[in-house]
Amino acid sequence: MAVIAHLRIPAESFELGRILEQESEGTIELENMVPLGEKAVPFFSVSDDVLDSFEQSVRDHPSVENILEVSKHENERLYSLEWNIDRDVFLEGVMGLEGQMLSAKGTTETWEFELRFPTHDALSDFQDYCENAHIPLEVGRIYNPVRPGTGMWYGLSKAQRETLVRAVKGGYYSIPRQMSTKDLSDAFDISDQAVTERLRRAIQTLVENTLIAMEDEQNEEFEPVETG
């Protein structure tokens, strides 16, 4: 079963982190990693509070082949970067163990990643790889994406997720009930019926993409094999 892990490493342990080293506070967020031949070209957004000489300092890095500003929106700029991935021990480990980078965000001190590995064993091997490569690795949340395409929120929309979380935290499902449908409808400026329908859909989606999906996957994994 595939597994997704949230990890954190020092910026200096990541070649892209060293390339994007900043002299002022700011964030750099990986938007996408696009395969291009034998390369992987990252697209990342940079906040305007990063140093003004960002482009030049990155362009002068020996691992960088090209950097291009793709777009600018409000206080952020989107760049594409071509760099020599062979110099990046961290990413080599991810790719060597068939991992996929789902997201990454970096600051002056640390980079945080959301990585998907095909199995728990692959994640364990990656942890061993980082230890052997002297890459300090802090492991956070680990979970199983039980349905393809559902993401870390198991297919819930933002509205469903916010309503369900508010209902649980507010005591809607407590005994005795501490929050009414009217309280929820007022909080989200929708009707009582819409709240009820949103909760119903959220619970159905959550159960289908977790409990039922895990049950289906286990049944497929341990399906008896007929023998002659």
mmCIF file of all heavy atoms in Angstrom, residues 35-58:
data_model
loop_
_atom_site.group_PDB
_atom_site.id
_atom_site.type_symbol
_atom_site.label_atom_id
_atom_site.label_comp_id
_atom_site.label_asym_id
_atom_site.label_seq_id
_atom_site.Cartn_x
_atom_site.Cartn_y
_atom_site.Cartn_z
ATOM 1 N N PRO A 35 8.879 16.400 -15.536
ATOM 2 C CA PRO A 35 9.945 15.651 -16.218
ATOM 3 C C PRO A 35 10.233 16.271 -17.577
ATOM 4 O O PRO A 35 9.320 16.620 -18.318
ATOM 5 C CB PRO A 35 9.359 14.248 -16.363
ATOM 6 C CG PRO A 35 8.223 14.188 -15.399
ATOM 7 C CD PRO A 35 7.691 15.584 -15.307
ATOM 8 N N LEU A 36 11.513 16.410 -17.920
ATOM 9 C CA LEU A 36 11.909 16.953 -19.212
ATOM 10 C C LEU A 36 13.114 16.164 -19.679
ATOM 11 O O LEU A 36 14.244 16.451 -19.310
ATOM 12 C CB LEU A 36 12.244 18.443 -19.102
ATOM 13 C CG LEU A 36 12.546 19.173 -20.419
ATOM 14 C CD1 LEU A 36 11.336 19.137 -21.336
ATOM 15 C CD2 LEU A 36 12.959 20.607 -20.144
ATOM 16 N N GLY A 37 12.853 15.124 -20.472
ATOM 17 C CA GLY A 37 13.926 14.229 -20.878
ATOM 18 C C GLY A 37 14.449 13.495 -19.661
ATOM 19 O O GLY A 37 13.702 12.853 -18.942
ATOM 20 N N GLU A 38 15.759 13.625 -19.416
ATOM 21 C CA GLU A 38 16.363 12.984 -18.263
ATOM 22 C C GLU A 38 16.410 13.931 -17.070
ATOM 23 O O GLU A 38 16.973 13.603 -16.029
ATOM 24 C CB GLU A 38 17.775 12.501 -18.604
ATOM 25 C CG GLU A 38 17.805 11.423 -19.689
ATOM 26 C CD GLU A 38 19.213 10.969 -19.978
ATOM 27 O OE1 GLU A 38 20.147 11.589 -19.429
ATOM 28 O OE2 GLU A 38 19.374 9.993 -20.729
ATOM 29 N N LYS A 39 15.797 15.096 -17.197
ATOM 30 C CA LYS A 39 15.818 16.080 -16.133
ATOM 31 C C LYS A 39 14.437 16.188 -15.490
ATOM 32 O O LYS A 39 13.449 15.694 -16.007
ATOM 33 C CB LYS A 39 16.228 17.460 -16.675
ATOM 34 C CG LYS A 39 17.600 17.503 -17.319
ATOM 35 C CD LYS A 39 17.875 18.890 -17.855
ATOM 36 C CE LYS A 39 19.229 18.959 -18.549
ATOM 37 N NZ LYS A 39 19.480 20.299 -19.113
ATOM 38 N N ALA A 40 14.406 16.850 -14.336
ATOM 39 C CA ALA A 40 13.152 17.181 -13.680
ATOM 40 C C ALA A 40 13.192 18.676 -13.396
ATOM 41 O O ALA A 40 14.023 19.149 -12.628
ATOM 42 C CB ALA A 40 12.981 16.386 -12.391
ATOM 43 N N VAL A 41 12.336 19.432 -14.053
ATOM 44 C CA VAL A 41 12.350 20.888 -13.940
ATOM 45 C C VAL A 41 11.324 21.330 -12.904
ATOM 46 O O VAL A 41 10.130 21.107 -13.083
ATOM 47 C CB VAL A 41 12.044 21.553 -15.301
ATOM 48 C CG1 VAL A 41 12.015 23.069 -15.141
ATOM 49 C CG2 VAL A 41 13.078 21.139 -16.336
ATOM 50 N N PRO A 42 11.775 21.934 -11.808
ATOM 51 C CA PRO A 42 10.828 22.398 -10.795
ATOM 52 C C PRO A 42 10.280 23.784 -11.129
ATOM 53 O O PRO A 42 10.991 24.638 -11.667
ATOM 54 C CB PRO A 42 11.673 22.441 -9.524
ATOM 55 C CG PRO A 42 13.054 22.731 -10.013
ATOM 56 C CD PRO A 42 13.160 22.114 -11.383
ATOM 57 N N PHE A 43 9.004 23.978 -10.830
ATOM 58 C CA PHE A 43 8.387 25.295 -10.889
ATOM 59 C C PHE A 43 8.117 25.699 -9.446
ATOM 60 O O PHE A 43 7.473 24.951 -8.702
ATOM 61 C CB PHE A 43 7.079 25.267 -11.684
ATOM 62 C CG PHE A 43 7.281 25.140 -13.166
ATOM 63 C CD1 PHE A 43 7.599 23.924 -13.746
ATOM 64 C CD2 PHE A 43 7.159 26.253 -13.998
ATOM 65 C CE1 PHE A 43 7.790 23.792 -15.112
ATOM 66 C CE2 PHE A 43 7.354 26.141 -15.369
ATOM 67 C CZ PHE A 43 7.674 24.910 -15.930
ATOM 68 N N PHE A 44 8.608 26.857 -9.035
ATOM 69 C CA PHE A 44 8.433 27.234 -7.650
ATOM 70 C C PHE A 44 8.077 28.709 -7.544
ATOM 71 O O PHE A 44 8.456 29.531 -8.381
ATOM 72 C CB PHE A 44 9.700 26.931 -6.833
ATOM 73 C CG PHE A 44 10.946 27.537 -7.403
ATOM 74 C CD1 PHE A 44 11.369 28.784 -7.007
ATOM 75 C CD2 PHE A 44 11.697 26.841 -8.341
ATOM 76 C CE1 PHE A 44 12.518 29.346 -7.538
ATOM 77 C CE2 PHE A 44 12.846 27.396 -8.873
ATOM 78 C CZ PHE A 44 13.261 28.659 -8.470
ATOM 79 N N SER A 45 7.304 29.045 -6.508
ATOM 80 C CA SER A 45 6.904 30.423 -6.268
ATOM 81 C C SER A 45 7.789 31.024 -5.186
ATOM 82 O O SER A 45 8.152 30.360 -4.213
ATOM 83 C CB SER A 45 5.428 30.488 -5.846
ATOM 84 O OG SER A 45 5.203 29.705 -4.694
ATOM 85 N N VAL A 46 8.125 32.288 -5.370
ATOM 86 C CA VAL A 46 9.030 32.994 -4.469
ATOM 87 C C VAL A 46 8.339 34.257 -3.989
ATOM 88 O O VAL A 46 7.816 35.032 -4.796
ATOM 89 C CB VAL A 46 10.347 33.359 -5.181
ATOM 90 C CG1 VAL A 46 11.288 34.078 -4.244
ATOM 91 C CG2 VAL A 46 11.003 32.111 -5.752
ATOM 92 N N SER A 47 8.316 34.458 -2.677
ATOM 93 C CA SER A 47 7.690 35.661 -2.136
ATOM 94 C C SER A 47 8.598 36.867 -2.351
ATOM 95 O O SER A 47 9.819 36.750 -2.400
ATOM 96 C CB SER A 47 7.396 35.482 -0.640
ATOM 97 O OG SER A 47 8.567 35.127 0.059
ATOM 98 N N ASP A 48 7.986 38.042 -2.490
ATOM 99 C CA ASP A 48 8.741 39.256 -2.807
ATOM 100 C C ASP A 48 9.683 39.695 -1.694
ATOM 101 O O ASP A 48 10.576 40.515 -1.920
ATOM 102 C CB ASP A 48 7.778 40.406 -3.121
ATOM 103 C CG ASP A 48 7.332 40.383 -4.574
ATOM 104 O OD1 ASP A 48 7.870 39.557 -5.336
ATOM 105 O OD2 ASP A 48 6.445 41.175 -4.940
ATOM 106 N N ASP A 49 9.501 39.156 -0.480
ATOM 107 C CA ASP A 49 10.385 39.576 0.597
ATOM 108 C C ASP A 49 11.719 38.829 0.577
ATOM 109 O O ASP A 49 12.568 39.029 1.433
ATOM 110 C CB ASP A 49 9.720 39.409 1.968
ATOM 111 C CG ASP A 49 9.109 38.033 2.156
ATOM 112 O OD1 ASP A 49 9.209 37.216 1.233
ATOM 113 O OD2 ASP A 49 8.522 37.797 3.230
ATOM 114 N N VAL A 50 11.899 37.949 -0.426
ATOM 115 C CA VAL A 50 13.212 37.337 -0.638
ATOM 116 C C VAL A 50 14.104 38.385 -1.302
ATOM 117 O O VAL A 50 13.638 39.256 -2.027
ATOM 118 C CB VAL A 50 13.076 36.072 -1.520
ATOM 119 C CG1 VAL A 50 14.432 35.495 -1.864
ATOM 120 C CG2 VAL A 50 12.243 35.035 -0.790
ATOM 121 N N LEU A 51 15.405 38.277 -1.092
ATOM 122 C CA LEU A 51 16.346 39.294 -1.552
ATOM 123 C C LEU A 51 16.178 39.655 -3.029
ATOM 124 O O LEU A 51 15.833 38.827 -3.852
ATOM 125 C CB LEU A 51 17.788 38.849 -1.307
ATOM 126 C CG LEU A 51 18.360 37.722 -2.174
ATOM 127 C CD1 LEU A 51 19.863 37.657 -1.975
ATOM 128 C CD2 LEU A 51 17.749 36.390 -1.814
ATOM 129 N N ASP A 52 16.443 40.931 -3.341
ATOM 130 C CA ASP A 52 16.263 41.444 -4.689
ATOM 131 C C ASP A 52 17.195 40.776 -5.693
ATOM 132 O O ASP A 52 16.880 40.664 -6.879
ATOM 133 C CB ASP A 52 16.513 42.963 -4.713
ATOM 134 C CG ASP A 52 15.471 43.727 -3.904
ATOM 135 O OD1 ASP A 52 14.351 43.189 -3.759
ATOM 136 O OD2 ASP A 52 15.784 44.820 -3.421
ATOM 137 N N SER A 53 18.339 40.323 -5.224
ATOM 138 C CA SER A 53 19.322 39.725 -6.137
ATOM 139 C C SER A 53 19.090 38.227 -6.315
ATOM 140 O O SER A 53 19.992 37.513 -6.746
ATOM 141 C CB SER A 53 20.734 39.959 -5.605
ATOM 142 O OG SER A 53 20.872 39.386 -4.318
ATOM 143 N N PHE A 54 17.875 37.757 -6.003
ATOM 144 C CA PHE A 54 17.561 36.320 -6.035
ATOM 145 C C PHE A 54 17.932 35.690 -7.377
ATOM 146 O O PHE A 54 18.652 34.699 -7.439
ATOM 147 C CB PHE A 54 16.082 36.111 -5.743
ATOM 148 C CG PHE A 54 15.614 34.708 -5.995
ATOM 149 C CD1 PHE A 54 15.841 33.697 -5.079
ATOM 150 C CD2 PHE A 54 14.944 34.388 -7.167
ATOM 151 C CE1 PHE A 54 15.429 32.405 -5.319
ATOM 152 C CE2 PHE A 54 14.518 33.096 -7.417
ATOM 153 C CZ PHE A 54 14.764 32.105 -6.482
ATOM 154 N N GLU A 55 17.413 36.259 -8.458
ATOM 155 C CA GLU A 55 17.639 35.670 -9.783
ATOM 156 C C GLU A 55 19.122 35.529 -10.079
ATOM 157 O O GLU A 55 19.582 34.475 -10.528
ATOM 158 C CB GLU A 55 16.975 36.529 -10.865
ATOM 159 C CG GLU A 55 15.512 36.220 -11.073
ATOM 160 C CD GLU A 55 14.987 36.855 -12.353
ATOM 161 O OE1 GLU A 55 15.626 36.702 -13.408
ATOM 162 O OE2 GLU A 55 13.936 37.505 -12.289
ATOM 163 N N GLN A 56 19.887 36.585 -9.832
ATOM 164 C CA GLN A 56 21.305 36.564 -10.175
ATOM 165 C C GLN A 56 22.064 35.567 -9.318
ATOM 166 O O GLN A 56 22.922 34.826 -9.820
ATOM 167 C CB GLN A 56 21.902 37.963 -10.000
ATOM 168 C CG GLN A 56 23.314 38.090 -10.544
ATOM 169 C CD GLN A 56 23.391 37.805 -12.037
ATOM 170 O OE1 GLN A 56 22.582 38.315 -12.810
ATOM 171 N NE2 GLN A 56 24.326 36.959 -12.444
ATOM 172 N N SER A 57 21.744 35.513 -8.020
ATOM 173 C CA SER A 57 22.469 34.603 -7.136
ATOM 174 C C SER A 57 22.185 33.152 -7.501
ATOM 175 O O SER A 57 23.072 32.297 -7.424
ATOM 176 C CB SER A 57 22.088 34.868 -5.673
ATOM 177 O OG SER A 57 20.706 34.634 -5.462
ATOM 178 N N VAL A 58 20.957 32.872 -7.929
ATOM 179 C CA VAL A 58 20.610 31.510 -8.345
ATOM 180 C C VAL A 58 21.261 31.189 -9.683
ATOM 181 O O VAL A 58 21.804 30.103 -9.889
ATOM 182 C CB VAL A 58 19.082 31.342 -8.432
ATOM 183 C CG1 VAL A 58 18.724 30.008 -9.061
ATOM 184 C CG2 VAL A 58 18.456 31.449 -7.046
#
